[in-house]
Every structure is written in structure tokens, then in C-alpha cells.
Amino acid sequence: DTEVTQTPKHLVMGMTNKKSLKCEQHMGHRAMYWYKQKAKKPPELMFVYSYEKLSINESVPSRFSPECPNSSLLNLHLHALQPEDSALYLCASSQVGSGGFNEQFFGPGTRLTVL
Amino acid sequence: AQSVTQLGSHVSVSEGALVLLRCNYSSSVPPYLFWYVQYPNQGLQLLLKYTTGATLVKGINGFEAEFKKSETSFHLTKPSAHMSDAAEYFCAVTDSGGSNYKLTFGKGTLLTVNP
């Protein structure tokens, strides 16, 4: 199984709502990533988890809260978002190792609209 | 910091014509280089990668790229375009050492294929 799944595919939320995005992989990867992609732009790294611990936080606002409950799951909790947070949110996973290349496998993304 | 520059935000070719998408990197040490493709409303898929070894890299769907250190380039080519190649293409770079979690993407090139 070389698939990364993300739910939901689409999400519309108000600025006062709390919602969560979910990502799952069963490839045995121990690194998982959240990216944000605005229209006609490249993906921007938000968070990296390595062995279920937060490894990289790219100065993301606290209204985005990541969680890695186990090695297969990655969540992104959303609270008090702004309309400019509307974007495609991509999850990825990879093996972990230093000095070599670890291909990142991407999920299809969640299209988020904040009203 | 490492970066890649993709020349041309939009490339249009006729079906059956040569596809050439340009990417130049900026790095003081040999980087790892990648080309990803993104079809509409989908995640990213790895086309090919250069890490070490042979400088001509073959990927999926008939694409290939050549790493030219003297020109700091990693251009993507395909001899004959198909309609199904229409998509957004991203060149990306990461460190050749360390845990190489961080992919830095170029701004992307939208490829359209005309019948």
C-alpha cells in the first residue's frame, strides 16, 4: 500500500468553528508532513513529525495545531481561522534517515474554505 | 538557503511535440533534485529524482532530466507530449545531507498540450 489518504476532501468552515483534518498512511513511514498550497503556488511546508514528535514548525500561527497520535495518523486541528487560510492542505509521509533521500508520498489534499 | 528557479510559469506545446521544462538550482553543495507533477485537484506525484550517480535520470511517463553541474540546471524533457501530460510541474531541491525533510519547491510551470 503506497497511498496516503486524507479526509475530508472538502471542508467549509466559519471563522469561529473548530474542525480537524486527518491524514493516514500504512507504509510504515515514520515522518509525516503538513503542507499548505494556495492556488497557483507551490506547496509550503508547515509541520514535520519524526517518530511521532514535532520536528519542524515553520512559524505557523497557533490557530493551526498539529497532532500525531501514532505512527500512521496525522491530524491538523483548526480553530479561529481567517479567510486567507483557505487553501489546499496536503499531507505527506516518508521514511526517516540521514544522508540519503527519503521520497515524500503525498495525499490528494483537503480543500479548505474559510468563510 | 537552497532554492530552485523554474523559467516560464506557463509552457504550451502541441501534442507530439518536445516538452522542455526548465529548472535551475542554487546550492553551494551538490543537492538532491526532484520533479513533481500535480494534476488538477490532486496531490503531488514524484516524476523523477537525482541524488547521486548517473546524471541522466529517467522517470515515469516517459520523462527524463539531466543534472548539469556546470550549468546548475536540471531540466525536464519528454520527446513527445500527450494530452494527459497537461498538469502543473514543480522542481524541488533538498539537502544532500542531514535528514533532508525540507523540500524547497520552485514556483511551478503549468504545461498545456494542444491537440
Side-chain angles (χ1 to χ4, degrees):
Chain A
D1 184 2
T2 58
E3 188 178 350
V4 176
T5 60
Q6 290 187 244
T7 54
K9 290 188 186 303
H10 301 275
L11 178 62
V12 179
M13 60 185 291
M15 290 189 287
T16 59
N17 292 157
K18 288 184 179 181
K19 297 286 185 182
S20 297
L21 309 184
K22 180 180 175 181
C23 173
E24 192 166 5
Q25 58 87 16
H26 296 286
M27 294 178 277
H29 292 166
R30 302 304 297 273
M32 296 188 76
Y33 310 73
W34 280 116
Y35 287 86
K36 175 182 178 180
Q37 187 179 24
K38 301 284 280 185
K40 301 188 186 303
K41 298 289 187 182
E44 297 177 353
L45 183 65
M46 301 174 71
F47 303 103
V48 180
Y49 274 82
S50 177
Y51 294 103
E52 297 86 67
K53 295 189 187 306
L54 186 62
S55 176
I56 295 176
N57 177 341
E58 291 289 283
S59 303
V60 179
S62 59
R63 58 185 183 270
F64 294 91
S65 177
E67 178 196 21
C68 191
N70 60 56
S71 60
S72 300
L73 283 175
L74 184 67
N75 299 317
L76 186 63
H77 303 297
L78 313 173
H79 174 55
L81 295 193
Q82 303 297 311
E84 59 264 29
D85 296 322
S86 298
L88 181 68
Y89 288 84
L90 294 165
C91 174
S93 71
S94 75
Q95 301 281 8
V96 176
S98 61
F101 168 65
N102 298 306
E103 177 182 347
Q104 293 186 23
F105 291 80
F106 284 81
T110 293
R111 178 76 60 187
L112 174 67
T113 303
V114 181
L115 301 177
Chain B
Q2 298 194 17
S3 65
V4 288
T5 302
Q6 292 184 240
L7 299 176
S9 59
H10 185 196
V11 171
S12 181
V13 300
S14 298
E15 194 173 18
L18 171 72
V19 175
L20 171 61
L21 305 182
R22 300 176 187 274
C23 174
N24 288 89
Y25 68 90
S26 171
S27 175
S28 58
V29 296
Y32 290 167
L33 291 159
F34 316 94
W35 277 99
Y36 281 86
V37 62
Q38 186 175 30
Y39 298 101
N41 299 313
Q42 293 189 27
L44 277 70
Q45 181 182 14
L46 182 66
L47 277 177
L48 49 79
K49 60 183 183 286
Y50 170 76
T51 53
T52 58
T55 56
L56 182 61
V57 180
K58 294 188 183 299
I60 61 171
N61 303 338
F63 285 93
E64 63 181 37
E66 186 172 6
F67 174 70
K68 291 187 176 181
K69 187 177 178 181
S70 61
E71 299 177 8
T72 61
S73 68
F74 190 59
H75 301 332
L76 182 70
T77 60
K78 182 174 181 178
S80 177
H82 296 159
M83 297 295 290
S84 60
D85 294 326
E88 186 86 30
Y89 291 80
F90 293 100
C91 183
V93 64
T94 189
D95 285 326
S96 58
S99 59
N100 58 60
Y101 290 136
K102 290 192 65 173
L103 278 173
T104 300
F105 290 92
K107 292 186 176 181
T109 299
L110 179 64
L111 175 67
T112 57
V113 182
N114 305 306

